[in-house]
Amino acid sequence: MLKSSSRNQDHPASSRSNIYTRQHRQLVKICFIILTAAMVTSTGAKPLARLCTDTEPIDILALSIASSSGQMNGMEVVNVDDKRGYRFDPEARLFGVDAAAMMTKCQFFPSEFSLVVSFLKDGPRNSNEYLLTLLAPDRRSILLGVRLQREVLSFDYLTGGGGVGGSATTAAATTMSTASFRDEKLIDGKWHTITIAVAGKYITFSLDCVHYKAVEGEKMKNAFPSKLAVYPNSKFHIASRRSRRNRFTGLLSQIYMVPGADISSAECSSTSFFDHLIASVLPTSAANKLSNDAQFLTYIDKEDGERALACDVKNRGQLVYREKMGGLEMCGGEKWKKLATTNEKLDYVVEYSDLTTKSKSLDVEVFELPGHGLFLASANQGRDKNMNSTIFKWREGRFQPYQNITTDNARHWKHFNIGTEHFLAVANHGSDDEAAEAQSKLYRWKEDQKRFVLHQYIRTFSARCFESFRIDGKTYLVVANYAKNDHKGMSWIFVWDEDERAFIKYQPLDTVGAYDFEYFKVGSEHYLALANSFNGVTTNLHSVIYRWRSSSFIPHQYIETIGATDMEHFKIDGVNYLAIANYYDHGPKSNQVNSTIYRYRERKKLFEKLQDIPTNGALDFEFFTVGSDSFLIAASSGDTSKHPISEIYRWQGVEGFVSVHKIPTHPCADWESFTTEQGQRFLVSANSENRHSKILQLLTY
């Protein structure tokens, strides 16, 4: 189980011979935080927030031992259960390293990181034993610590409230926060690896990553400081807190700090740096042949990424990490064997460029045409009946106008293919009359003209979107008709007729203010989710999930929604989810409405509510991934009282989706993510207020 606590003083109490009083140490802490605030102020602000990270793991144990080279008295290298560890004499000198010497690429400690500690402890002790501490320049105040007391392992950190990186005038600036993990195996005399993952207010532990036993995360009262300065003379100490008391009496095998998100979320792929992977590749006898003074891990940076290293019996078991390829390899005696790949992580988000359109945009659709590259279709809503919408092509690092298409109050574009032919369907809303009849259109890519040409008219009523899908070899197209005859209308599923080379009506669906359709599969089952938004009286309606049976869709599940505008299906680790964007509560006349995430239950074959996300006039959800991390961004249209903010949420397992980036935006109707041939990642938004939509770049490490 996890416990949390807050204390205003260090623990345990210092001895009477200590020349520093508790009041003195408190004063030093405050001075340190003031210095931290000054460093933050002097650096200046970035347009959008960045997670302060180094790009490679930091071996704290190895660096501490290396910094004490030539003064190795008090450390013993021992082998227990075919694993090498270090025992430190509690009466001998201390081992440590300046924090600034390790954090060479950033002056702040990462706000998100994982600590990985492998140790062996035989039997309990009532006193605290410190495996690792980060001390302030006064050499006594603990900024960060990992300690063991009996069967409880605790992670301590100095919280700032508004103090670290901000004001240092509050009492909260000197508060120590603690998250704890209890397990009797921690002191059973065997090797164990603990991963402590830190992300803001969330502290998560995992025990023995090779078998992976996840421990429920804890939301702390005080978040880990977002800007904890690595001030000169701040120092990491291993197996102690820089005193003869509270030293660790067991064995230490490794202490790594890995900037970024929880490395255990990728099923411990990053832990391939650690000793237990040797056993998965080499027999025990070969692993034991590694000499104590061998260079166990070689790091090859991006500039030297192609450097070749020999692999033979002499360096069997050596690890090589190549930053350019993001891979860890081990010499198996004849050739290098790839053990793991370092997953790409989202670092920060920056404004990349404007996307200027004919008028305000209600939707963007990014797609690729083989042999021609990336395109973007913008649905433009103008005052004139015949308002051009624009198709852009990605050239020279930006989207440039490629083709204008006449539309009638366009609301949505959908790209799909039938065989080798590519199509674009545009949902035309028509006039401002909610029961407006309009001609939506289907365009086909004509290769000899390198243009989209009109292929078919489709009669619609205030159409809001198209969705395309294939079932049993047939291609279908469904249109969401928002209104006909006082908001109650009929949306239609069309099927592609090969003889007519056109879509013909196939199945009607009764809808109420239909706003969006989303097709998806769960196993072999086909589903179609419908967002119903408004019936003329209320936005509190039932949206519907249909299931394909035999040759048509039938209602399968009804879900309560509040002005639903978007259905977004996605999968994480094989589990199906559905995000529903709720736009407006007609009762209190408010855009401040929770949107909801649902999780599919295989046994029940139903979606169950998982999490509410506060949104402000949400019109769209976009799901995307970076490496092994999963993200959602909500398109916020805002209201008249404040400038809207779109938020990026990251999936964090038991915590669900947690906000990691707040992006000031224009009123936004849609988000789309895309990746270029060069591997650059972007988000593009549709500006529902004016002609200037935005493209943001996702920078990774």
Side-chain angles (χ1 to χ4, degrees):
M1 62 184 296
L2 288 165
K3 296 182 178 179
S4 64
S5 63
S6 294
R7 303 181 303 284
N8 290 327
Q9 297 176 351
D10 292 338
H11 60 84
S14 58
S15 64
R16 291 185 179 180
S17 60
N18 191 343
I19 63 173
Y20 290 92
T21 62
R22 286 191 178 90
Q23 291 83 358
H24 186 193
R25 291 201 302 274
Q26 294 287 78
L27 180 61
V28 173
K29 287 181 183 178
I30 293 173
C31 292
F32 173 72
I33 292 165
I34 292 173
L35 287 171
T36 299
M39 293 176 68
V40 173
T41 304
S42 65
T43 59
K46 292 184 179 296
L48 296 172
R50 175 184 178 180
L51 302 177
C52 197
T53 58
D54 277 329
T55 56
E56 67 272 358
I58 298 173
D59 190 338
I60 300 175
L61 180 60
L63 289 171
S64 298
I65 295 173
S67 68
S68 303
S69 178
Q71 305 177 42
M72 303 303 288
N73 293 333
M75 185 189 74
E76 180 185 3
V77 180
V78 296
N79 280 282
V80 177
D81 296 333
D82 298 322
K83 185 167 185 175
R84 183 172 63 182
Y86 301 91
R87 179 183 288 119
F88 299 90
D89 186 347
E91 299 299 324
R93 68 182 305 278
L94 300 164
F95 288 82
V97 63
D98 286 336
M102 293 191 299
M103 305 297 295
T104 58
K105 299 182 180 180
C106 186
Q107 64 180 352
F108 300 111
F109 201 85
S111 59
E112 297 187 6
F113 62 94
S114 293
L115 284 173
V116 184
V117 183
S118 292
F119 65 93
L120 181 151
K121 183 71 173 71
D122 190 3
R125 285 188 64 186
N126 290 326
S127 61
N128 287 296
E129 297 188 26
Y130 282 86
L131 290 77
L132 174 70
T133 54
L134 173 62
L135 299 185
D138 68 350
R139 301 187 178 185
R140 295 184 180 278
S141 303
I142 296 178
L143 303 177
L144 176 152
V146 179
R147 57 187 169 87
L148 188 64
Q149 184 183 31
R150 300 187 67 83
E151 70 277 9
V152 178
L153 186 134
S154 299
F155 173 69
D156 306 321
Y157 57 96
L158 185 69
T159 57
V164 178
S167 171
T169 60
T170 64
T174 59
T175 298
M176 187 71 76
S177 293
T178 298
S180 299
F181 167 53
R182 180 188 300 272
D183 197 308
E184 293 182 354
K185 289 191 295 185
L186 295 172
I187 53 173
D188 63 2
K190 298 180 181 179
W191 287 108
H192 296 290
T193 297
I194 284 286
T195 301
I196 306 169
V198 180
K201 289 188 176 182
Y202 292 92
I203 312 293
T204 304
F205 296 85
S206 63
L207 174 64
D208 292 333
C209 188
V210 68
H211 299 298
Y212 196 71
K213 176 184 176 184
V215 182
E216 184 178 359
E218 178 177 8
K219 186 174 182 179
M220 304 293 290
K221 179 180 179 181
N222 296 311
F224 189 87
S226 60
K227 290 183 178 179
L228 176 62
V230 182
Y231 191 79
N233 299 321
S234 296
K235 197 167 186 177
F236 279 105
H237 286 274
I238 57 174
S240 76
R241 53 166 296 177
R242 200 184 177 276
S243 69
R244 295 186 182 276
R245 300 180 58 187
N246 307 118
R247 295 203 182 186
F248 182 61
T249 58
L251 301 179
L252 286 174
S253 175
Q254 67 175 357
I255 303 177
Y256 270 83
M257 194 274 285
V258 184
D262 180 4
I263 62 170
S264 63
S265 64
E267 297 185 359
C268 307
S269 61
S270 295
T271 59
S272 5
F273 290 100
F274 312 137
D275 291 346
H276 70 259
L277 281 182
I278 301 174
S280 69
V281 178
L282 297 178
T284 300
S285 58
N288 288 337
K289 291 180 181 180
L290 290 173
S291 61
N292 288 340
D293 59 351
Q295 186 179 6
F296 184 65
L297 175 63
T298 300
Y299 180 82
I300 300 177
D301 60 22
K302 290 182 179 179
E303 287 71 20
D304 199 20
E306 303 301 325
R307 177 157 63 96
L309 292 176
C311 174
D312 52 36
V313 293
K314 294 180 181 179
N315 65 333
R316 188 174 185 180
Q318 182 181 1
L319 293 174
V320 172
Y321 177 72
R322 299 180 184 274
E323 183 184 14
K324 183 176 182 180
M325 295 179 289
L328 183 73
E329 300 174 358
M330 176 181 281
C331 176
E334 296 180 356
K335 61 181 181 179
W336 294 98
K337 298 182 179 181
K338 192 166 187 177
L339 299 182
T341 298
T342 303
N343 284 311
E344 203 175 8
K345 300 292 182 181
L346 176 62
D347 196 356
Y348 58 108
V349 183
V350 296
E351 291 186 6
Y352 183 80
S353 68
D354 279 346
L355 182 71
T356 303
T357 56
K358 294 291 184 179
S359 65
K360 62 182 181 180
S361 300
L362 298 180
D363 178 68
V364 286
E365 173 83 342
V366 179
F367 57 95
E368 184 175 0
L369 294 178
H372 298 284
L374 277 176
F375 292 83
L376 180 148
S378 174
N380 300 134
Q381 181 189 32
R383 296 179 181 177
D384 299 331
K385 178 178 177 63
N386 297 322
M387 166 62 68
N388 283 339
S389 291
T390 304
I391 298 175
F392 299 83
K393 183 177 181 180
W394 184 265
R395 289 184 289 201
E396 299 177 353
R398 63 189 181 94
F399 278 117
Q400 300 181 26
Y402 183 81
Q403 179 182 357
N404 288 322
I405 291 180
T406 300
T407 54
D408 183 7
N409 203 343
R411 292 302 181 97
H412 184 259
W413 286 98
K414 180 64 181 180
H415 167 263
F416 61 95
N417 64 285
I418 302 175
T420 59
E421 291 188 291
H422 290 263
F423 294 86
L424 269 179
V426 59
N428 284 324
H429 182 277
S431 69
D432 291 334
D433 182 359
E434 288 295 351
E437 177 180 340
Q439 296 289 344
S440 294
K441 299 175 183 179
L442 180 67
Y443 291 87
R444 174 173 50 84
W445 176 258
K446 195 165 185 180
E447 184 63 31
D448 58 351
Q449 297 182 19
K450 304 293 188 295
R451 288 288 187 274
F452 281 97
V453 297
L454 181 63
H455 183 83
Q456 181 182 353
Y457 290 100
I458 298 176
R459 186 184 181 211
T460 55
F461 296 88
S462 302
R464 292 299 170 97
C465 92
F466 277 112
E467 173 72 322
S468 175
F469 51 92
R470 287 179 63 83
I471 300 177
D472 298 332
K474 294 182 179 180
T475 301
Y476 297 86
L477 187 68
V478 60
V479 62
N481 285 323
Y482 180 81
K484 182 183 180 182
N485 300 328
D486 199 19
H487 293 276
K488 294 181 180 179
M490 187 173 289
S491 297
W492 275 93
I493 300 174
F494 299 84
V495 65
W496 178 257
D497 187 295
E498 288 289 352
D499 295 330
E500 297 290 336
R501 283 192 51 78
F503 282 99
I504 60 174
K505 286 185 174 181
Y506 181 78
Q507 179 187 353
L509 296 173
D510 290 327
T511 56
V512 183
Y515 219 99
D516 185 51
F517 277 109
E518 175 84 341
Y519 166 82
F520 58 93
K521 286 185 67 177
V522 177
S524 60
E525 298 278 0
H526 301 269
Y527 292 91
L528 189 63
L530 160 69
N532 284 323
S533 62
F534 186 53
N535 65 2
V537 178
T538 181
T539 54
N540 289 267
L541 302 172
H542 282 101
S543 292
V544 188
I545 299 176
Y546 296 89
R547 179 168 58 89
W548 182 264
R549 175 175 287 183
S550 183
S551 59
S552 63
F553 281 104
I554 60 172
H556 175 73
Q557 181 180 357
Y558 294 91
I559 295 178
E560 293 183 2
T561 53
I562 307 173
T565 54
D566 183 60
M567 298 279 188
E568 179 82 353
H569 170 264
F570 54 91
K571 294 179 69 173
I572 301 176
D573 296 330
V575 180
N576 289 273
Y577 297 88
L578 189 66
I580 301 179
N582 290 320
Y583 170 71
Y584 185 75
D585 191 339
H586 193 263
K589 304 286 192 290
S590 174
N591 288 101
Q592 304 291 330
V593 185
N594 284 338
S595 295
T596 309
I597 313 296
Y598 292 84
R599 175 172 52 198
Y600 186 78
R601 293 296 188 184
E602 291 283 352
R603 183 173 298 178
K604 297 180 180 179
K605 294 189 178 299
L606 295 172
F607 282 93
E608 292 184 351
K609 184 176 178 179
L610 174 69
Q611 177 185 4
D612 281 330
I613 292 179
T615 51
N616 184 14
L619 287 172
D620 177 67
F621 272 121
E622 174 74 1
F623 175 79
F624 63 96
T625 60
V626 177
S628 62
D629 290 332
S630 300
F631 298 89
L632 272 178
I633 184 169
S636 175
S637 63
D639 53 37
T640 58
S641 64
K642 61 175 66 175
H643 196 77
I645 292 178
S646 291
E647 296 194 46
I648 296 179
Y649 300 86
R650 184 178 63 209
W651 176 255
Q652 293 189 181
V654 292
E655 294 92 10
F657 282 98
V658 177
S659 177
V660 292
H661 287 283
K662 297 180 186 293
I663 304 173
T665 60
H666 43 66
C668 184
D670 185 39
W671 283 101
E672 283 282 302
S673 63
F674 66 95
T675 304
T676 66
E677 289 184 351
Q678 292 73 33
Q680 295 174 297
R681 297 176 181 272
F682 295 94
L683 288 170
V684 57
S685 65
N687 189 333
S688 60
E689 184 178 60
N690 58 54
R691 300 174 55 211
H692 302 288
S693 296
K694 293 285 186 182
I695 297 178
L696 306 180
Q697 186 173 9
L698 304 177
L699 298 180
T700 61
Y701 64 96

